Amino acid sequence: MKLQQLKYLLAIVDNGLNITAAAERLYTSQPGVSKQLKLLEEELGLQLFTRKGKSLGGITPAGQQVIARARVVMQEVDNIRSLASDYFHEEEGTLSIATTHTQARYVLPEVIKEFRSRYPKVSLELHQGTSEQIADMVSANEIDFAIATGSRDLFSDLLLVPSYHWDRKILVPKNHELTRLERKVTLDDLAEYPLVTYVFSFGGQSSLKLAFAEKGLDPDVVFTARDADVIKTYVRMGLGVGIVASMAEDCDDRKDLEAIEAEGLFPRSTTWIGFRRDAVLRRYMLDFIQLFAPHISTEQLECTRHARNQGDIDELFDETALPLRTGCSDDMTAAA
Amino acid sequence: MKLQQLKYLLAIVDNGLNITAAAERLYTSQPGVSKQLKLLEEELGLQLFTRKGKSLGGITPAGQQVIARARVVMQEVDNIRSLASDYFHEEEGTLSIATTHTQARYVLPEVIKEFRSRYPKVSLELHQGTSEQIADMVSANEIDFAIATGSRDLFSDLLLVPSYHWDRKILVPKNHELTRLERKVTLDDLAEYPLVTYVFSFGGQSSLKLAFAEKGLDPDVVFTARDADVIKTYVRMGLGVGIVASMAEDCDDRKDLEAIEAEGLFPRSTTWIGFRRDAVLRRYMLDFIQLFAPHISTEQLECTRHARNQGDIDELFDETALPLRTGCSDDMTAAA
DNA sequence: CGCGTTTACGTCGTTCGTAACGATA
DNA sequence: TATCGTTACGAACGACGTAAACGCG
C-alpha cells in the first residue's frame, strides 16, 4: 500500500468517481490513476467500487470504510507536513476561518487587523455563512477554525473553546418611547412593538423565541434579516424595534439610533472558537486564538493543543468566568 | 513522503535509535534505512534526531511530534488492511487480550472455549498482568482488548464497555466461627480476624481499604497475594479469612472451604472490556465482546463500533442495569 | 461515434543490496 | 579494533506517459 494510492483513491471519490477528472486534478495521466486503483484493490483483495461496465458505478460498503480510514491517513500526513513547516517557516502558511456575520462584521476585524500585522505572510481566508453552512465547511475539511455562537451539537467533531459571552441590545430610533421609560425595559414592553431581528432567532428553538414564549408572549416580528446591518436599516426606517447582538452596535449608530441594554432579558449567548480534534495547531493559530479570546492563558492554550475530547476543554475553562463583550460603548474595556 | 519512510522511522525509534537493529527487524539493509531517514528529514526540512557524531543521540521535539503522527498513520494503514481481511477472511486473524488474574482464571475460560469453537482459525493471545501492566501493553499497541475492573483512569485512551458487576465473597475453612453467625457478617466482624486478600486491594485508594476506613476500622491484613488461588491456599492453612472476588469461588472449593456472600459490605465492582478508540473491530472481535458481555444487544454493539469517545459509550449502556456475576453457586443463572 | 477505462510498452526515476569508507569509543 | 552510520554503484523494480484497443451509451 502506498500513500499515493490512498491519495488517488480519495481524488477519485472527490471527483464523482470519475477517474479522468481525478487524474487531471492530480496533474497526472489517467491510466496511472486507473492502475494504482487496481493495484490497491488487488492488494486489499476487495472491490472498493462497483463497476458499471468499465466505469465506476458506486462505492462498496468496504470501500466506504477504507475511504474513511484513508482520509485519516492523509489528514495525518498533512499534519506531519504542517508540523514541519511550523518549525521551519514559523511565519508562513494559511489560516481559513468560517464564521457568522456578526463575528465577521463586528468582532473579527480588530482581531484580524492585529493578526495580519503580526503574521503578514500568513494568507487568511474568511468564509461567512450560517451555522449549518459552517458545519458543512468543517466536515469538508476546508476550515482551520470555526467561530460561532451556541449550536454546539452541530459541531461535535470539533473541540470548542468558549471565548466570550454577550447579551442583546435593543435598537430604536432616537427619542423612541422606550428610551423614555423610567424603569428597565421588560419583555412585556417589547412585545408591544413590532420587532426586527435575526432570521435564526425565530427559527428552531432559539433562545429569543423561548424567552418570549416562557412569559406567554407572542411578539409581533415584522421583519427578520440575516445580519445586523439590514436590521438597523429597517429600524432607522421606523419599521420596528431591533434586537441585535451587543457587539453589533457601532459608535456611528449613535448618530441616529439609541441602544438599550437588554442584559438579563434574554439568556446570555456564548461564542466559541473550534478546530478539528486532530488538527495541528500551528504557532500562528494559537496566537490567533489568543487574540480572539485574550482571557486564555498561555498554559491553557498549551493544554488545549493536546486535548483529545471536549471534556478536556471543558475542564480547562470555567464557562461562567468568560469575559462579556458589548458593543461600541465599552469595547475598549471589554478587550482589556 | 512515503509510508515506508514512516515505517522505518518508527522502527528506528522502537529499536533504541539503532539503525542497524531497525534494519534487521525490517528485514532490509541498513544503508537503505539510513537513506530513507535522511530523505524524510530532507523533505520535512528538519532534524528528527539529534546526532552524536554519526550515531543518533536523541529525538528532537519536532521529531517527537512527527513520530506521534506517524504512529497514527501506520495504525490507520493497519486498520485498512485489517478491514480488508475482515471482508475476505472473516474467520481468520489474531485476537490479543490483556487481563487480570481473576478474569483470566475464572471468567474467560468459558468465554474463550466458546470463542475458539466458533473461530478456530483465529489465533488467541492472552496476556496476564496488573492493571498497570495492562495499561502499558495497551499503550505499546500490542493489545486488541483489555479487560479489567475499576481503574478507568488508567485507560483513558480506550473505550470501555461495562460488562458486569461483582461483589466479594468471604472464604473461610469449613465450620469456621463466621459461618455459625445467626446474622449477616459485618465489617466489624471481619476486622476481628486476620485477613488474607489481594495485594492491590490494600494499596492505593482501594475500595476495600476505604470500606474499612470509613467505619474507623483498621483490619489486620496478614497476607496479600496477587491471585485468588494463593489466597485460598492460605485460607485452607488457617492463616486467616479470605476476601476474594465472587467469581473466584470454584465449586471444587466447597470440599474444604465455605463462602459467605459479602454483598453490601463493600462497594460493587464493575468489570469492563476496552479497546482502542480508532481500532477496527472485526466481526470476530464483536462476537467476542458479545460472548463476554451477553447482555449487550447487537444494535448496541454496532453503535459501539462507531463510538468516538467514552461519552458515546456511557450513553449507550446503563451502568446500573449490568448483570451481576457470582461464583460457583449460580454461574449458570448469571450467564443466562 | 464520443466518452471513459483498460491494456501495452518504452522511458525514467527510485529502491535495494553489496561493498567499501569514515567516524567514534 | 569493534561498532555503527554514510557513501558509492550496479541491478531490479515500479511509476509515469503515450498510444492504441475496448466497451458502453
Side-chain angles (χ1 to χ4, degrees):
Chain A
M1 195 183 321
K2 308 238 165 76
L3 282 179
Q4 213 140 8
Q5 292 170 338
L6 299 181
K7 192 167 77 185
Y8 285 11
L9 169 64
L10 296 184
I12 293 172
V13 175
D14 294 338
N15 285 280
L17 307 193
N18 181 326
I19 296 185
T20 306
E24 277 169 19
R25 181 75 58 93
L26 291 164
Y27 304 105
T28 185
S29 72
Q30 176 273 323
V33 177
S34 221
K35 183 162 198 182
Q36 292 307 319
L37 172 61
K38 195 179 164 188
L39 285 175
L40 181 60
E41 285 187 323
E42 275 173 13
E43 180 178 343
L44 296 181
L46 48 80
Q47 294 249 123
L48 297 172
F49 301 105
T50 58
R51 313 294 159 123
K52 274 205 310 203
K54 286 211 166 187
S55 296
L56 303 183
I59 307 175
T60 63
Q64 292 287 7
Q65 303 208 50
V66 172
I67 289 162
R69 301 281 169 178
R71 284 200 198 282
V72 175
V73 171
M74 294 313 293
Q75 170 83 39
E76 287 298 322
V77 168
D78 282 345
N79 281 344
I80 290 176
R81 294 209 179 91
S82 185
L83 217 40
S85 28
D86 200 31
Y87 279 87
F88 202 65
H89 311 286
E90 273 227 314
E91 309 283 320
E92 294 173 38
T94 63
L95 177 59
S96 52
I97 301 167
T99 187
T100 56
H101 176 268
T102 309
Q103 308 302 320
R105 169 76 174 72
Y106 299 105
V107 183
L108 288 181
E110 285 179 56
V111 176
I112 285 179
K113 187 180 163 198
E114 180 67 21
F115 181 82
R116 291 230 55 172
S117 80
R118 202 177 296 184
Y119 292 104
K121 285 184 170 173
V122 171
S123 71
L124 269 167
E125 289 176 28
L126 196 62
H127 303 269
Q128 188 195 317
T130 63
S131 298
E132 285 78 10
Q133 289 169 328
I134 296 172
D136 287 345
M137 291 187 252
V138 162
S139 24
N141 213 348
E142 297 160 348
I143 292 301
D144 295 311
F145 286 148
I147 302 176
T149 303
S151 52
R152 291 175 77 117
D153 37 341
L154 271 176
F155 299 88
S156 59
D157 45 346
L158 296 189
L159 297 180
L160 310 183
V161 178
S163 304
Y164 58 86
H165 288 305
W166 49 270
D167 281 315
R168 263 85 171 183
K169 276 183 184 167
I170 299 161
L171 290 182
V172 289
K174 288 256 180 196
N175 296 319
H176 188 276
E177 297 175 23
L178 277 175
T179 66
R180 294 194 297 270
L181 276 182
E182 296 293 307
R183 52 181 174 74
K184 279 211 158 189
V185 173
T186 65
L187 287 181
D188 295 84
D189 296 331
L190 277 179
E192 298 289 315
Y193 297 89
L195 299 182
V196 185
T197 188
Y198 300 111
V199 174
F200 46 84
S201 289
F202 276 85
Q205 67 283 64
S206 95
S207 55
L208 226 65
K209 195 178 179 182
L210 283 176
F212 280 108
E214 272 178 16
K215 295 243 174 185
L217 296 171
D218 183 23
D220 175 26
V221 179
V222 291
F223 188 85
T224 60
R226 298 218 107 82
D227 65 75
D229 288 324
V230 178
I231 294 174
K232 288 180 201 166
T233 307
Y234 286 87
V235 169
R236 286 195 180 93
M237 287 166 55
L239 201 77
V241 171
I243 305 174
V244 299
S246 278
M247 301 86 76
E249 190 204 5
D250 261 339
C251 288
D252 280 351
D253 296 334
R254 306 235 160 149
K255 281 184 286 189
D256 49 2
L257 292 177
E258 249 175 289
I260 304 167
E261 299 288 344
E263 194 186 327
L265 275 190
F266 307 106
R268 220 159 237 193
S269 296
T270 305
T271 295
W272 45 257
I273 179 165
F275 49 88
R276 304 186 72 83
R277 203 180 303 275
D278 292 312
V280 169
L281 291 183
R282 297 191 50 177
R283 178 82 255 145
Y284 62 76
M285 295 179 180
L286 292 173
D287 282 350
F288 184 91
I289 295 180
Q290 218 159 21
L291 282 173
F292 181 69
H295 67 288
I296 297 176
S297 71
T298 310
E299 300 82 55
Q300 284 176 314
L301 210 55
E302 199 51 41
C303 297
T304 302
R305 190 175 203 165
H306 302 110
R308 285 277 73 89
N309 55 59
Q310 188 62 41
D312 300 344
I313 303 270
D314 292 341
E315 276 176 33
L316 214 52
F317 298 100
D318 179 8
E319 274 259 7
T320 61
L322 289 181
L324 184 67
R325 204 175 253 267
T326 63
C328 159
S329 52
D330 36 7
D331 244 344
M332 297 306 107
T333 56
Chain B
M1 195 184 319
K2 308 237 164 77
L3 282 179
Q4 213 142 11
Q5 292 171 339
L6 299 182
K7 192 168 76 185
Y8 284 12
L9 168 64
L10 296 183
I12 293 172
V13 174
D14 295 338
N15 284 279
L17 307 193
N18 180 325
I19 296 186
T20 307
E24 276 170 19
R25 180 75 60 95
L26 292 164
Y27 304 105
T28 185
S29 72
Q30 177 273 322
V33 178
S34 221
K35 182 160 198 182
Q36 293 307 319
L37 172 61
K38 194 179 164 187
L39 285 174
L40 181 60
E41 286 187 323
E42 275 172 12
E43 180 177 343
L44 296 181
L46 48 81
Q47 295 248 123
L48 297 171
F49 301 103
T50 58
R51 313 294 159 121
K52 273 205 311 204
K54 285 212 165 182
S55 296
L56 305 183
I59 306 176
T60 63
Q64 292 287 6
Q65 302 208 50
V66 171
I67 289 163
R69 302 281 169 180
R71 284 200 198 281
V72 176
V73 171
M74 295 313 293
Q75 169 82 39
E76 287 298 323
V77 167
D78 282 346
N79 281 344
I80 290 176
R81 294 208 180 91
S82 184
L83 216 41
S85 29
D86 201 31
Y87 279 88
F88 202 64
H89 311 286
E90 272 227 315
E91 310 283 319
E92 293 173 40
T94 62
L95 176 59
S96 53
I97 302 167
T99 187
T100 57
H101 177 267
T102 309
Q103 308 301 320
R105 167 78 173 75
Y106 298 104
V107 183
L108 287 181
E110 285 179 56
V111 176
I112 285 178
K113 187 181 161 195
E114 180 68 22
F115 181 82
R116 292 230 54 173
S117 80
R118 202 178 296 187
Y119 292 103
K121 285 183 171 173
V122 172
S123 72
L124 269 167
E125 287 176 29
L126 196 61
H127 303 268
Q128 189 196 316
T130 63
S131 298
E132 286 77 11
Q133 289 170 326
I134 296 172
D136 287 344
M137 291 188 252
V138 163
S139 24
N141 212 348
E142 297 160 347
I143 292 299
D144 295 311
F145 286 147
I147 302 176
T149 302
S151 53
R152 290 174 79 118
D153 37 340
L154 270 176
F155 299 89
S156 60
D157 46 347
L158 296 189
L159 297 179
L160 310 183
V161 178
S163 304
Y164 58 85
H165 288 305
W166 50 269
D167 282 313
R168 264 83 172 184
K169 276 183 184 166
I170 299 161
L171 289 182
V172 288
K174 288 254 180 197
N175 297 317
H176 188 276
E177 295 175 23
L178 277 173
T179 66
R180 293 195 297 270
L181 277 181
E182 296 292 308
R183 51 180 174 74
K184 279 211 160 190
V185 174
T186 65
L187 287 181
D188 296 83
D189 297 330
L190 277 179
E192 297 291 314
Y193 297 89
L195 299 181
V196 185
T197 189
Y198 301 109
V199 175
F200 45 83
S201 289
F202 275 83
Q205 67 282 65
S206 95
S207 55
L208 226 64
K209 195 179 180 180
L210 283 177
F212 281 107
E214 273 179 14
K215 296 242 173 185
L217 297 171
D218 183 24
D220 175 26
V221 179
V222 291
F223 187 85
T224 61
R226 297 218 109 82
D227 64 74
D229 288 324
V230 176
I231 294 173
K232 288 180 202 167
T233 307
Y234 286 88
V235 170
R236 286 195 180 93
M237 288 166 56
L239 202 76
V241 171
I243 306 174
V244 299
S246 278
M247 301 85 78
E249 192 206 4
D250 260 338
C251 289
D252 280 352
D253 295 335
R254 306 236 160 147
K255 281 184 284 188
D256 49 2
L257 292 176
E258 255 178 282
I260 304 167
E261 299 288 344
E263 192 186 331
L265 276 191
F266 307 106
R268 219 157 239 194
S269 296
T270 305
T271 295
W272 45 257
I273 179 165
F275 50 88
R276 305 185 72 83
R277 202 180 304 275
D278 293 312
V280 168
L281 291 183
R282 297 191 48 178
R283 177 84 256 142
Y284 61 77
M285 294 178 180
L286 292 173
D287 282 350
F288 184 90
I289 294 180
Q290 219 159 19
L291 282 173
F292 181 71
H295 67 287
I296 299 176
S297 72
T298 310
E299 299 82 57
Q300 284 175 315
L301 210 55
E302 199 51 43
C303 298
T304 302
R305 190 174 201 165
H306 302 110
R308 285 277 72 88
N309 55 59
Q310 189 62 40
D312 301 343
I313 303 270
D314 292 342
E315 277 177 31
L316 213 53
F317 298 99
D318 178 7
E319 274 259 7
T320 60
L322 288 181
L324 183 68
R325 204 176 254 268
T326 62
C328 159
S329 53
D330 37 10
D331 244 344
M332 296 306 108
T333 57

